[in-house]
Amino acid sequence: MQKRKNLRTWIEVDSRALEHNLKQFLKLIPRRTRFMAVVKSNAYGHGLVDTAKALLALRSFSEGGWLGVDSITEAFRLRKEGIKNPILVLGFTLGSMMQDAARNNIIVSVSNFDSLADLARAKEKPIFHLKFDTGMHRQGFLPEQTPQLMKLMKRHGLSPQGMFTHFAAAKDIAYPTYTLEQFRKFNMIAKLFEQAGFKNIIRHTAASGGTLLFPETDLDMVRVGMGIYGYWPSPESRIMNHEPEIILRPPLQWKTIVAETKEIPKGSYIGYDLTERVSRKTNIAVLPVG
């Protein structure tokens, strides 16, 4: 209550709901599969630092849990707050920031040959994961670029800690063909890396939708974002629930005070451009959230 003193409007995040959602996903994945909580973009509006610390206060996450962010700026902030768990930058990292990533033990994603060249030039090289474009068609090496990629990596003495892809339609269980084809392409790439002598690579493909609907895609790690915030990726993912049943609880509530109340007569207009007209004598309340 003290924190809300002198506030007109505020957001509350229930750490118990966050823990509940985490446990719902942990019961879906094998024990050997790592769990990454995606806290990118200010933890989807829930607060980057507060959400990360709330998760790390849970024994089920603190021991081995990963954090996924979009930018190295978010990763630096978490390190500044004393967070030691593995942090993977899922988005693009400037070449000029590679050494800073290494010095702060931040893992970067490499998704194109220019970024690979930046990594190779860095005096201090960060741990990195390779991102592959198997059908999302955003960031990522294309499957046919794999032989060239492996050749360059061997030339520069580079070895990835992990490799991943992102599904374009895993939230739609009614059309699994595209997701399974992406998964097939990714497994083909992973096999080529293994045959070329790259060992012990952490493979990850499933986000919230994949974790809920395609358990075969769990592999070595899952990346769950919106799911831990209590939101289903799609109506289909909610309908096609698992056994045991999965229940998600949104932890965020937006609250405010009532600043003013009044009674207005029948026929009165309300708001800019006369948005509403009341058909009877009406009590209205004004909320200071605009």
Side-chain angles (χ1 to χ4, degrees), residues 79-186:
R79 286 288 184 250
K80 185 179 179 181
E81 294 290 332
I83 290 171
K84 305 296 184 184
N85 285 52
I87 300 174
L88 173 62
V89 178
L90 296 163
F92 172 75
T93 298
L94 292 167
S96 58
M97 303 301 289
M98 290 292 182
Q99 288 192 176
D100 289 328
R103 290 167 183 167
N104 287 275
N105 194 27
I106 293 166
I107 307 164
V108 301
S109 296
V110 174
S111 58
N112 59 71
F113 289 112
D114 288 337
S115 290
L116 185 69
D118 288 335
L119 182 72
R121 282 192 294 266
K123 291 182 179 179
E124 296 179 54
K125 295 175 175 52
I127 299 169
F128 68 99
H129 288 208
L130 295 171
K131 183 172 186 179
F132 290 91
D133 179 4
T134 58
M136 184 74 166
H137 296 141
R138 295 194 310 196
Q139 291 174 298
F141 293 99
L142 294 168
E144 55 266 29
Q145 294 175 318
T146 301
Q148 181 187 359
L149 173 60
M150 292 191 297
K151 183 179 178 180
L152 286 172
M153 289 179 60
K154 287 193 172 184
R155 180 187 300 171
H156 294 294
L158 300 173
S159 184
Q161 181 198 55
M163 58 191 299
F164 68 107
T165 194
H166 195 61
F167 293 138
K171 62 186 179 182
D172 186 1
I173 191 63
Y175 183 64
T177 306
Y178 199 81
T179 298
L180 295 177
E181 176 61 13
Q182 282 191 261
F183 189 53
R184 184 194 68 79
K185 290 179 180 178
F186 180 81

Side-chain angles (χ1 to χ4, degrees), residues 255-285:
K255 296 186 176 183
T256 188
I257 63 171
V258 175
E260 183 175 328
T261 62
K262 67 179 68 175
E263 184 182 276
I264 58 175
K266 175 181 177 180
S268 297
Y269 292 97
I270 301 175
Y272 285 118
D273 301 316
L274 314 180
T275 301
E276 183 65 53
R277 189 182 190 188
V278 298
S279 59
R280 61 181 184 273
K281 185 169 64 174
T282 302
N283 291 314
I284 64 168

Side-chain angles (χ1 to χ4, degrees), residues 40-41 69-76 87 89-93 106:
K40 66 180 182 179
S41 304
V69 297
D70 176 64
S71 70
I72 199 165
T73 303
E74 292 177 325
F76 285 153
I87 300 174
V89 178
L90 296 163
F92 172 75
T93 298
I106 293 166

